[in-house]
Amino acid sequence: MAKEKTTISDFAVAPRRPKVSQDRPAQEVGPSEEQSSSSLTAATPAETEEIAAARTAPETERRERVTKRALEQENSRNRLRDLKRARERESKHFVNVPLDYDTKKRLERAAYENDLKMTVIMKAAIDQYLRDNGY
């Protein structure tokens, strides 16, 4: 059994796009140049002012929305940065505590069973001790 040769004509090929010249943009959807020029000449000056105002109004509204959103995002970024700084300030005070083997194992077991970190338990224990002794 010999294989047949495959040629390019065996494959479906999409039609080519029409070339767009550098001078003239691609065809736009909308009225042709003749229709648009005749409609502009038929419009009264008041109508053209209304059309211009309608085009600029959404532009100014869009700018206001964009500016408002940018300010809100900047405020959010600033608040997040401040929260991170405050958190860093809180966590910079470390205390090393040497524990004996049994105490460390009890602490690990309590952390595991209560689904907490050992540091959380130690902070709570130290805080409780200080409150009980009036500090």
Side-chain angles (χ1 to χ4, degrees):
M1 285 177 117
K3 292 184 179 179
E4 293 183 29
K5 290 190 175 185
T6 306
T7 63
I8 192 77
S9 61
D10 295 338
F11 297 98
V13 179
R16 291 187 176 261
R17 290 184 182 176
K19 288 188 179 182
V20 178
S21 68
Q22 299 286 337
D23 310 350
R24 183 179 170 102
Q27 283 185 328
E28 297 177 6
V29 177
S32 67
E33 292 176 16
E34 296 169 4
Q35 291 173 343
S36 62
S37 63
S38 65
S39 65
L40 287 177
T41 56
T44 64
E47 289 176 352
T48 54
E49 288 176 10
E50 290 175 9
I51 293 170
R55 287 184 181 163
T56 56
E59 181 67 24
T60 56
E61 290 174 6
R62 187 187 67 78
R63 283 185 183 162
E64 289 174 3
R65 282 193 313 260
V66 168
T67 305
K68 183 179 177 184
R69 189 202 280 149
L71 289 172
E72 288 174 357
Q73 287 176 346
E74 184 178 357
N75 290 338
S76 297
R77 281 192 299 268
N78 289 340
R79 284 194 305 268
L80 181 62
R81 185 189 64 222
D82 292 342
L83 283 172
K84 286 182 179 179
R85 284 182 183 168
R87 189 170 161 198
E88 287 174 2
R89 270 183 254 142
E90 289 178 7
S91 66
K92 286 188 179 179
H93 308 287
F94 296 100
V95 177
N96 290 332
V97 181
L99 299 174
D100 61 90
Y101 182 78
D102 292 334
T103 307
K104 171 86 180 331
K105 286 298 175 186
R106 287 176 28 218
L107 180 61
E108 284 179 346
R109 193 174 103 216
Y112 178 75
E113 288 176 358
N114 294 306
D115 197 27
L116 294 170
K117 291 186 175 184
M118 290 188 287
T119 55
V120 172
I121 294 172
M122 290 187 70
K123 278 167 95 177
I126 293 169
D127 187 50
Q128 181 67 38
Y129 176 82
L130 293 173
R131 264 191 277 124
D132 290 347
N133 291 313
Y135 295 102

